[in-house]
Amino acid sequence: MGIPQILLNLHLLRPSEWDPPTLLDHLLANLSSFPLYVVPIPLPLLRLSVTHLYHLLLFLRGHAFHPPSNLAPIRVVCISDTHDTELSLEKIPEGEGGLLIHAGDLTDDGSREGIQRQLDWLGEIKRQKGFEKVLVVGGNHDGWFDDRPRVGARWVLAGSESGSVFGGAGDGNSEELRWPEGVHYLDGMGMGGNGEDGEGVMTIEFEGRGKGRKLNVWGWGGVPRCGGPEHAFQYDRPNHPWTNRIPLETDILITHTPPRHHLDLDLGCAGLLSEIWRVKPKLHVFGHIHWGAGSEAVYYDECQRAYESLMARGADVPFPPAFPSLFSFPPSSASAHSASPNREPSKMLVKQRPTNLVNILLLPVYFGLALSLYVVEVVERVVMDLMDAARVIWYGTTAVVWKWVMQGPGANNGGLLVNASVTYGNTGRVVNPVQVVEL
C-alpha cells in the first residue's frame, strides 16, 4: 500500500475531483506543478484564503436583490439531481402561483420510463402545490432527452434494439414522452428531447398572486465532457457552445452545468461563465456538482472579476521548456547509414561529434535559460495572484462600505446563482434542502 492510498484511507486526500479538496490537497497542489516546489510560495493557500474572504464579503453585502416593493413576488422553487428519487410533498414548499425548476439529472440511467416517472411526479407536485409552471432541462444522466441523430446519448444507449427500455431509439421512431399539463422542457440549443416548447426564450405571464408579472426564461442542459458517450449533451471545453447563445432578455437561466469558479469545485464551464457576464440573468439555476449545493450572490463587478481571475489562474506554474538531453542522445540518421554495407560509418559518426560537443559546451547556457524562464514565470504568477487578491479585498470592502454607509440595506441590484442539487455529495442520499428564491 503506497503513501497516497494510506492518505486516502485516512481521509486526508480526496478520492476524486468530484469531491471537495482537503487542506492537504491544497498544500500539495504545488508539488505536481512546481519543478522547484521547495520554493516556499503557498499560492494554493492564498487562493483558499481569498475564497473564504470573498464569500465573507458577499455575506456582508446582504441579499443580492429584493423583490419589487409595488408588485407581488414570484416564488421560484429550485431542485436538481434527483436521480430517480421522488421527494415527498412535505419537502416541497407551496408554489403560491410561482415556478418549480428542475435543473437536470432526473434519472440515473436516462431511460424513457425513468424520465416519464419523474415527469409524472413533477406534474403531481404542480397540481398539489399550486405552481404556475414546472420547468425542466436535461442533465448528463438524462440520455433519453439527447436524441440528436446518431450522436445523441439516446442512440448510444439504445443502439438499434427496438425492444430496449429506451423504446427503440435506434430506429428513430421511439415513443414520445407524455408531458403533464404545465410541465415544460427547455431546450434553448434546439437539441431535441420531445418537449413541447422547443428552443428560444420562454416568456411567462403570471396569473393569480403574480398577476401582472412577466419573466423570460431560457434553459439548456449541456455539460463539459465528463463521461462516456452514454452521457447526454456533452461538449469539449475548448469548443463550448455558449458564446452569444443566451438571449439578453433572459431573467431566469437554467442550465445543468455550473459556471466556472462558483459552487462547482472548479469543474464548471468557463464558457458559460463568460456568457452570463454578457447576459447577467437575475437568477441562474443549475446542479451537476452535488457538493456545490447552495446559493451565491453575483454582482458582475470588479471584485467578482478579480476573484475569478485569481481562481482561473489555478495552482499550475508551467514547467520550464525542456532542453536537449546531454547524456542520452537520440538515434541519428548516422545509425541507419552505418547499418548499410555500402556506407562508411566512421565518417558519419565523426560528423555527429561536433553537435554533441556543442550541446555539452552550452550546458550552462541551457541551465541558465531554463532557470531564468522558471524564475520569471514564478515571479509573474506570484505578483499577479497578489494583485488579484488585493483587488478582491479592496473592491469587496469598498462595496460593503458603500452599501451600508451610503445606500442602505435595500440597495443591492445583483443576481443569484443557485446550485439546486438535492443529492448530498456522492453518497446517493437525497437530503439537501430544496431552495426557494423570491423574485
Side-chain angles (χ1 to χ4, degrees):
M1 180 182 297
I3 293 178
Q5 188 60 48
I6 295 174
L7 295 175
L8 281 172
N9 293 342
L10 294 174
H11 303 289
L12 296 176
L13 292 177
R14 59 177 175 174
S16 77
E17 63 180 354
W18 298 91
D19 292 285
T22 66
L23 179 61
L24 186 58
D25 283 313
H26 287 289
L27 289 172
L28 296 178
N30 279 357
L31 297 186
S32 62
S33 55
F34 274 42
L36 300 179
Y37 57 82
V38 293
V39 178
I41 305 174
L43 297 182
L45 291 184
L46 173 65
R47 279 181 284 276
L48 179 62
S49 302
V50 171
T51 296
H52 290 297
L53 177 60
Y54 175 74
H55 288 96
L56 174 62
L57 292 169
L58 290 179
F59 172 76
L60 294 176
R61 293 175 74 168
H63 294 288
F65 55 80
H66 293 273
S69 58
N70 59 334
L71 295 172
I74 301 298
R75 170 166 288 187
V76 182
V77 176
C78 309
I79 59 175
S80 182
D81 298 84
T82 49
H83 292 286
D84 290 312
T85 300
E86 299 179 7
L87 299 178
S88 64
L89 290 176
E90 292 76 18
K91 293 184 177 180
I92 306 293
E94 293 295 328
E96 300 182 0
L99 302 175
L100 173 62
I101 291 175
H102 195 304
D105 275 4
L106 289 80
T107 69
D108 267 330
D109 64 4
S111 68
R112 183 185 62 80
E113 286 77 6
I115 291 178
Q116 187 64 66
R117 286 192 296 269
Q118 286 280 292
L119 294 179
D120 293 340
W121 166 64
L122 292 172
E124 183 65 22
I125 291 176
K126 178 188 178 297
R127 290 188 294 271
Q128 295 284 341
K129 292 293 185 175
F131 288 97
E132 177 84 13
K133 293 184 182 297
V134 178
L135 307 178
V136 178
V137 299
N140 57 294
H141 282 278
D142 300 326
W144 176 263
F145 285 140
D146 188 3
D147 61 356
R148 293 170 293 166
R150 302 298 173 187
V151 296
R154 186 194 298 189
W155 296 82
V156 174
L157 289 166
S160 58
E161 300 177 7
S162 59
S164 74
V165 296
F166 292 88
D171 58 9
N173 296 314
S174 53
E175 180 182 347
E176 292 188 358
L177 295 165
R178 301 182 308 277
W179 289 84
E181 182 181 358
V183 179
H184 303 266
Y185 177 75
L186 300 184
D187 180 26
M189 297 289 188
M191 294 190 178
N194 293 330
E196 57 187 49
D197 299 299
E199 57 184 302
V201 69
M202 179 181 186
T203 300
I204 303 175
E205 297 181 358
F206 291 88
E207 302 292 337
R209 179 192 178 194
K211 189 173 181 62
R213 297 286 305 277
K214 182 173 68 174
L215 291 173
N216 295 319
V217 186
W218 190 94
W220 182 59
V223 297
R225 193 167 304 282
C226 60
E230 72 279 3
H231 288 260
F233 303 123
Q234 297 186 100
Y235 56 83
D236 295 324
R237 290 181 184 274
N239 303 316
H240 68 82
W242 295 106
T243 304
N244 297 325
R245 295 302 298 270
I246 302 174
L248 285 172
E249 64 269 24
T250 300
D251 300 307
I252 300 177
L253 172 63
I254 309 171
T255 64
H256 187 56
T257 182
R260 195 70 182 268
H261 314 308
H262 298 278
L263 306 173
D264 71 326
L265 298 183
D266 258 355
L267 295 172
C269 179
L272 177 58
L273 176 64
S274 297
E275 185 70 351
I276 66 172
W277 265 90
R278 184 182 69 89
V279 178
K280 299 179 177 62
K282 183 63 68 174
L283 174 62
H284 181 188
V285 184
F286 49 86
H288 192 43
I289 308 300
H290 301 172
W291 284 111
S295 62
E296 180 180 313
V298 283
Y299 296 96
Y300 305 106
D301 57 6
E302 290 304 314
C303 180
Q304 180 181 334
R305 192 183 301 276
Y307 169 74
E308 291 168 355
S309 174
L310 178 62
M311 295 301 109
R313 205 166 296 116
D316 296 330
V317 173
F319 192 83
F323 48 86
S325 171
L326 304 175
F327 306 104
S328 177
F329 298 104
S332 65
S333 57
S335 301
H337 288 301
S338 63
S340 171
N342 299 323
R343 298 287 180 179
E344 298 182 22
S346 58
K347 293 182 179 180
M348 300 301 297
L349 290 174
V350 168
K351 291 182 179 179
Q352 297 301 312
R353 287 173 188 165
T355 302
N356 295 347
L357 179 61
V358 168
N359 282 340
I360 294 174
L361 292 177
L362 290 177
L363 173 59
V365 177
Y366 289 146
F367 180 78
L369 177 60
L371 182 61
S372 299
L373 291 174
Y374 171 73
V375 170
V376 169
E377 192 72 38
V378 169
V379 171
E380 180 184 20
R381 176 61 56 86
V382 172
V383 170
M384 293 176 69
D385 278 11
L386 290 176
M387 289 179 62
D388 279 336
R391 290 169 61 214
V392 169
I393 297 171
W394 170 253
Y395 288 115
T397 304
T398 301
V400 172
V401 173
W402 177 258
K403 171 185 168 56
W404 292 108
V405 175
M406 305 298 294
Q407 294 181 312
N412 284 344
N413 189 27
L416 190 67
L417 305 178
V418 174
N419 184 327
S421 173
V422 293
T423 298
Y424 178 67
N426 299 329
T427 65
R429 295 185 292 125
V430 180
V431 295
N432 287 345
V434 174
Q435 300 192 57
V436 181
V437 180
E438 300 284 346
L439 281 179

